[in-house]
Amino acid sequence: MKRHYYSNNLSNFCSSSPQEILGELTENSEFSIEIAQKDAWLQQIKILKSILINYEGAIFFEYSIPRMGRRIDAVVLIDNVIFVLEFKVGESEFLTNNLDQVWDYALDLKNFHETSHKHLIAPILIATEAKNIFLNISTTPHNDNLLFPIKTNTTLLKETINGVLSFADGDKIDTATWVEGRYSPTPTIIEAAMALYNNHSVTDISRSDAGATNLTDTSNAIKEIISRTNANNEKAICFVTGVPGAGKTLVGLDIATKHLDKENDITSVFLSGNGPLVAILREALTRDKYKREKELGKKVRKGKIMSEVKMFIQNVHNFRDESLKDDRAPFEHVAIFDEAQRAWDHVQTANFMLRKKNRPNFNISEPEFLVSCLDRHQDWAVIICLVGGGQEINTGEAGISERIESLNRAFPKWRVYISDKLSDSEYAAGKALELLKTHEFVFTNPALHLSVSLRSFRAEHLSLLIKNLLDLKIEDAKDNYRLIKEKYPIVLTRSVNAAKKWLREKARGTERYGMIVSSQAIRLKPFAIDVKSPMDPIHWFLDEKDDIRSSYYLEDVATEFQVQGLELDWACVTWDGDFRYSLNGWKYHSFVGSKWNNINKEERKLYLKNAYRVLLTRARQGMVIVVPDGDINDHTRHPDYYNDTFNYLAEIGLEQILFPAELT
């Protein structure tokens, strides 16, 4: 795929006329070009032609970064350096968000572009009207051949390029090889949703290595099932399984965005009971589209965009309530249920219907009712169940077994497509799978399982490490950690301040970081961590560094309920006395009144363990775990509640860090 609007070697670029270059840029653009954009291109061309005339190398204008849904103004290859150039034509200041923008572009190439990994990358922000400033060229503490963003103006741009070239070493870049390098991004779910909504394919925004090819395979398998079910006037349900972070939600969003064709009666809806996820995705898509439309000079209303987004991303409870009011078939023929194992069982559903809907004697579970809604269609319907393992964190969640049992009870004519991993213990399908053996239409397809975690592009084995850590398989956990420690740092500390400092040092550009804790972590208040304090997940996940409500400020914390299904680049997990290691296994506690109480119900123990599973698998690039010292004078924070947990994590091999004041 051609990823730029214009490219040439520097000699040909410098000898070409500006109008010739502009013509190629305009012709290859995906949009109609406004006069302001043409003027900006002409000024960039003029500046670079005058500066690059005596260099050998190559230039690429408007280089695509589909993960971010944006394009780099120019990428220039000279000798052994990749220059990432972002122009702010007419700007006299170096704004923080512009510096982050060029840094993000450079990070994208460093992390996801195969033939950029080993070369020096120099992000340069050019504010064309800025005053001359001191040239500062330095590498980041990550020691990965990526420079801090360099600020310059038009006058000093050539001196800047020369300074970087004299600083760099390494092999000369072969342009042809560089161009052919695979781009294998791993977007956050928010980035992926925006890219898919803007008509990128799942292939554009996902890795292409052998271990991750089944992301595309899974999407294609589901599309084939939808097509076949539609053509044959059948009804089908698909169970898609996957390890944490494997891209189940991404597959669901891909299906939802590709089936929005009202004309051909194949509209779809993405349904989730995860309120924060729904709210964040809706707001992110709305903000992104509003910004894009404004940049194109269009008059748009944010409310109108939001109403369109709401059509295909819905809260499953709203979908359920509408179906209770109206017994007609829903408008959509394809329904995608994210985290399908989280639907309520019969008891919880009946209790809710009585208390909230004044409907006594409601005698079916939520999964069975939701299938019955799609079953109202007289022609065809498809349900896609995205099934996570070890993710149940709410009371009354039925797991996947109830969905399967309801098919046997009430929908014998539905075709059932299952992954070959649905029988694995973490999906808790239990005896229901045995019952499926008597179902007339059951088809197994290995493509319906996502086996590789994509959340952490630095450590595919993170989910296995966390599984073994929580299952107290310490030797296996040690082996897992040795496999990932070079690419995915996990550090351990007893100081919240040390953890905050570590996060701020690790994150670059707009890489998002934040503090996450268990919803039962009541006794972290001495560290200004209050899980009961209201926080808005939209602001926490979407707002920028200067907003005190954002995760960047490290003031508000998020719990497992607010982060499930979402990701951070870097996370601080602060561990409280609710979940304690002991030689006899984990001890489970909840804080009631003024003391910790034992949790005895197995179901509640599972929820607490899964809460920590969610927290410990949120970070894409690395995390710091804080286990406080406790306080011998505070009976609610006695050191015994924390020390064994800290020592257990340390025994796995996690590096320990100290707050600077503690080093003296």
Side-chain angles (χ1 to χ4, degrees), residues 198-342:
N198 283 292
N199 297 316
H200 286 284
S201 72
V202 72
T203 306
D204 292 338
I205 58 168
S206 62
R207 286 164 31 184
S208 55
D209 54 285
T213 53
N214 69 328
L215 190 66
T216 303
D217 293 343
T218 302
S219 282
N220 289 338
I222 296 171
K223 290 169 188 174
E224 288 175 10
I225 291 169
I226 292 172
S227 178
R228 183 165 58 249
T229 304
N230 181 8
N232 296 336
N233 271 347
E234 298 169 345
K235 290 172 183 172
I237 185 166
C238 305
F239 292 94
V240 179
T241 55
V243 300
K248 296 180 295 294
T249 302
L250 175 56
V251 167
L253 289 168
D254 183 51
I255 298 299
T257 54
K258 297 301 182 288
H259 294 85
L260 296 173
D261 188 354
K262 295 180 181 179
E263 300 295 324
N264 291 316
D265 194 31
I266 55 170
T267 54
S268 59
V269 59
F270 179 88
L271 298 164
S272 175
N274 185 336
L277 176 67
V278 170
I280 289 164
L281 289 180
R282 283 176 169 178
E283 180 67 19
L285 295 184
T286 300
R287 289 186 187 185
D288 184 61
K289 187 166 185 180
Y290 180 80
K291 181 179 179 182
R292 291 173 186 278
E293 297 291 279
K294 293 288 282 186
E295 287 175 350
L296 294 172
K298 296 181 180 180
K299 291 183 178 180
V300 289
R301 288 189 303 108
K302 192 176 178 182
K304 184 176 186 299
I305 296 172
M306 176 64 85
S307 66
E308 294 171 356
V309 171
K310 284 182 176 179
M311 289 295 291
F312 93 98
I313 296 182
Q314 296 181 28
N315 190 301
V316 68
H317 301 128
N318 295 340
F319 180 86
R320 175 202 62 203
D321 292 348
E322 286 301 312
S323 298
L324 282 169
K325 297 175 189 174
D326 187 347
D327 60 5
R328 292 176 296 179
F331 179 73
E332 302 84 3
H333 279 72
V334 180
I336 301 111
F337 291 94
D338 194 32
E339 297 294 354
Q341 76 282 357
R342 296 185 64 186

Side-chain angles (χ1 to χ4, degrees), residues 341-345 348 390-399 470 518-520 560-561 564 578-579 588 599 601-615:
Q341 76 282 357
R342 296 185 64 186
W344 285 340
D345 59 22
Q348 188 77 0
Q391 300 286 301
E392 297 86 358
I393 56 175
N394 284 300
T395 302
E397 289 182 353
L470 293 175
S518 158
S519 58
Q520 300 298 312
E560 70 272 18
F561 297 112
Q564 188 173 40
D578 54 334
F579 191 56
Y588 305 80
I599 294 175
K601 287 187 176 181
E602 291 303 317
E603 183 184 58
R604 288 187 60 201
K605 289 181 180 180
L606 176 64
Y607 294 154
L608 183 55
K609 184 177 180 180
N610 282 345
Y612 274 86
R613 189 190 314 276
V614 168
L615 298 174

Side-chain angles (χ1 to χ4, degrees), residues 10 21 73 88 118 122 277 368 380 633:
L10 294 182
I21 299 167
D73 283 344
K88 298 302 175 185
K118 66 179 182 179
L277 176 67
E368 184 170 339
W380 70 282
N633 297 311

Side-chain angles (χ1 to χ4, degrees), residues 15-36:
S15 62
S16 300
S17 72
Q19 291 301 326
E20 183 181 351
I21 299 167
L22 179 64
E24 191 169 336
L25 280 167
T26 304
E27 183 179 347
N28 289 325
S29 173
E30 301 165 2
F31 309 100
S32 58
I33 303 301
E34 303 293 323
I35 293 175

